Amino acid sequence: MVFEVLVMGASSGGHQALSILLAALPAPFPLPMVLVQHRLGEDSDALATSLASRSPHPVLDVEDKYPITPGQVHLAPAGYHLLLGPDGFQLSTAPPVHYSRPSIDVLFESAAHIHGPGVLAVILTGSSADGAEGAAAIVRNGGTLLVQYPASAESSIMPAAALAAVPTALALSLPDLAVHIASLCPDSSSAARPSPLQKELP
Amino acid sequence: MTPTTQTSALEALEIELLLEGIHRHYGLDFRGYAYPSLRRRILNRVSSEKLDTISALTNRVLHDPECMQRLLFGLTVNVTSMFRDTAFYKVFRSKVVPLLRTYPFIRIWHAGCATGEEVYSLAILLTEDALYDRCRIYATDIDEVVIQQAKTGIFPLGAMRDYTANYIRAGGTGSFSSYYSANYDNAVLRSSLKTNLVFSTHNLVSDARFNDFHVILCRNVMIYFDKALQDRVHALFHESLLRLGFLGLGKRESMRFTPHEDRYEAVDAAEKLFRKVA
């Protein structure tokens, strides 16, 4: 399996979980990392600044049509849905999904559509069911889902909902998630371009 | 092809046929809209109409103008509020208003105004800065229905609490409640705010330049366009702006990935306020 993008979703408790996970992922990371962390209203750039200070990866709030760049953490900005498309990122101010904008379902569903089996998705701690439908769409399109082991999460509702939607997903603690993600994403020097045949594997 | 790629190719074809049909039958061109959200909004409409396929939606849209209107309302995403992005209004007040004062008459184009909340916000700001008498604000949207609603200047009373907080954070200098009167569940805006507003339909995709402007605001509209259409609309704005005119975009929009970047200087990079310099 050759992955093209790592998408992650987190809600309550996500700030700390993401800090731990991002710090444990090898840098430079071979894939673009795309992240929805639920947050409120007209937030500032504080989340990006905080995550960047604790991670070896550059972290930025996405602007419209920003190119999807390997090694970077692309953060869905407060108040916008973030979608992946052929032109790079797209933002949307469409109504909230599961009371959330950005919504994990919206990001994951768009990732599943455009990258199919090339999506590696992670659902972390959160007290919402957002992400479960998107996670199911990713797996339906041949992508791979990892879930933070609910009992190890600050809030177990979101990982549990994702596991209910995709019972076959692997559930791991944060340190094991980082190790597993790193093992699934060999560094770019050894990563070959996916052949059409490889892309057809489930 | 795997079943999923087959499904997805068929879906792409159905979307293409839907957009082609809408363009030819209704004269509305969504073919340059950014694909990810366009697709999502279409699929939402399929499900809200309790249909199974996009082709079934095409059938209904072509034969039922009301269904077209429901689809249009979703495709154009009319999410807005008064003094949305409060910092933008603060910056507009501190960095744009002083320069606008030097003009005897000021023409402003608010493109993609939806139901008008942000137009009235600007009218309030300009009133408080004693500049509104010299302004004419042309507020346009592709959707006739939302323009009609915008013209009324009537908004849900329940929203006023949030809007009051926004107004204060945006640097409002008066009392927000003095700008509306309550009528059952509605807030009716003061008619003096409407005097220099001109509401009209205008389609950024297909309609031409219609005046020269000192200010153009187009916030969170072009995020729904693909790059080629964005470039075309930027060209329309550039030719519609007077030299040293101001262009205001949405908080997360950028000039960086357009060919027009060098024709503007940033007045405030964070709030996406630019000034035409070439």
Side-chain angles (χ1 to χ4, degrees), chain A residues 64-65 80 90-91 93, chain B residues 33-34 37 75-77 84 110-114 118 140-142 204-205 217-226 229-230 233 237 248-250 253:
Chain A
D64 186 47
K65 304 296 184 284
Y80 291 84
Q90 198 210 333
L91 298 174
T93 57
Chain B
Y33 274 51
S37 72
L75 288 182
T76 50
V77 185
R84 173 195 201 178
H110 194 131
C113 68
E118 293 169 73
T140 64
D141 199 277
I142 184 178
L204 289 171
V205 181
L217 301 183
C218 185
R219 310 189 64 227
N220 298 311
V221 175
M222 285 191 280
I223 55 176
Y224 300 104
F225 298 169
D226 70 16
L229 179 54
Q230 278 187 351
V233 175
F237 289 159
L249 303 176
E253 292 179 86

Side-chain angles (χ1 to χ4, degrees), chain B residues 14 46 51-62 67:
Chain B
E14 289 184 282
V46 168
L51 297 169
D52 294 325
T53 63
I54 297 167
S55 301
L57 179 65
T58 305
N59 181 46
R60 186 171 292 177
V61 156
L62 291 179
C67 180

